[in-house]
Structures are given as structure tokens and as C-alpha cells.
Amino acid sequence: NCGTDNIPRSQLEEHFKVCPVAEAECSFSSHGCSFKGRRLSIQDHESQSMAEHFQLVTRSLGSLELEHSRTKRELQEKNNETEMLKEKVKQQESELASVKQSNSKLEAKVTALQKMMANQTDRQIKIEQGLGNAAKKEE
């Protein structure tokens, strides 16, 4: 009990955030300090443990720098991979354009051959009709 009375229920949570006798963690807990205690004792702890807290923060900074280097290297690798993929896409687009051009030429040749075949078929039909007419005349 901190001695503060008549706190409305709606304000209890806010009071616990600032109450001097409420349990709290050291503000360096995110760096590895495991001290927990009443808010009054945390102030004493933090002022008496500056050297330890400095070491914790220094270790945290070292870990962050290492993680940053790792992330930076991974990002560079991804950028290199992206550039390689872009080049590959350009190459494939070029190859595709070449294949499309060859395909167009082949389609034109097929169309020309189909016309030639149609002409040859027409000539064959006329020859066969001519032969048929000649055979009828001989009879």
C-alpha cells in the first residue's frame, strides 16, 4: 500500500504505472538486466548499477552491430540476385523476340507452301478431268 487513497477503478492502471511501491522491472531489462523490485528500489538499483548497465548496453550494441552487418550482407546478396535475374529476364526477352521473328517467317513459309499445294491440287484436278474427257472421247 503506497498510502494513496480513493483512486477510482478507472485510474488504477495509470496509478500502478507511477506508484512508488508497485513492482517494476529495471529500465535496462531490454538489455539483459533481470532486477525487479519496487519503483523506489529500482531508482537506487539503477544509480548503483551504472557500470553493469553500461556493459549490458555495450553488449546489446555489439549484437545489434553484428545483426546489422549480417542484414546488410544479406541485402547485398539479394540485390545481386535481383540484378542477375533482371539480366536473365532481358536475355530471355531477347531470345523470345528472336523466336517470335523466326516463327513469323516459318508461318509465312507454311502459308506460301499451302498456296502452292492448293495450286498443284487445282492443276492435278484439271489434268485428271482432261484425261477423263479424253478417255470418254476415245470410247
Side-chain angles (χ1 to χ4, degrees), residues 1-85:
N1 186 358
C2 67
T4 306
D5 293 327
N6 300 324
I7 300 171
R9 284 184 195 247
S10 61
Q11 294 178 359
L12 271 178
E13 193 172 323
E14 276 302 308
H15 175 72
F16 284 132
K17 291 178 183 177
V18 295
C19 180
V21 296
E23 288 284 318
E25 292 181 334
C26 173
S27 60
F28 291 89
S29 64
S30 62
H31 298 285
C33 183
S34 59
F35 183 85
K36 291 181 182 178
R38 294 181 177 221
R39 215 167 246 103
L40 288 173
S41 61
I42 286 181
Q43 290 172 351
D44 290 338
H45 159 75
E46 288 177 352
S47 63
Q48 293 172 4
S49 302
M50 283 191 203
E52 292 88 352
H53 290 154
F54 181 74
Q55 287 177 346
L56 290 172
V57 170
T58 302
R59 275 191 226 123
S60 290
L61 179 60
S63 295
L64 288 173
E65 286 174 343
L66 182 62
E67 184 179 341
H68 174 71
S69 293
R70 224 178 288 133
T71 303
K72 194 174 177 181
R73 186 181 66 248
E74 288 173 5
L75 178 62
Q76 185 60 47
E77 289 171 1
K78 294 296 180 189
N79 285 339
N80 292 344
E81 186 178 331
T82 299
E83 288 304 313
M84 283 180 16
L85 289 172

Side-chain angles (χ1 to χ4, degrees), residues 88-101:
K88 192 170 186 176
V89 166
K90 281 182 184 179
Q91 180 184 3
Q92 288 177 343
E93 285 173 341
S94 175
E95 289 173 8
L96 180 60
S98 177
V99 167
K100 283 181 177 181
Q101 187 177 17

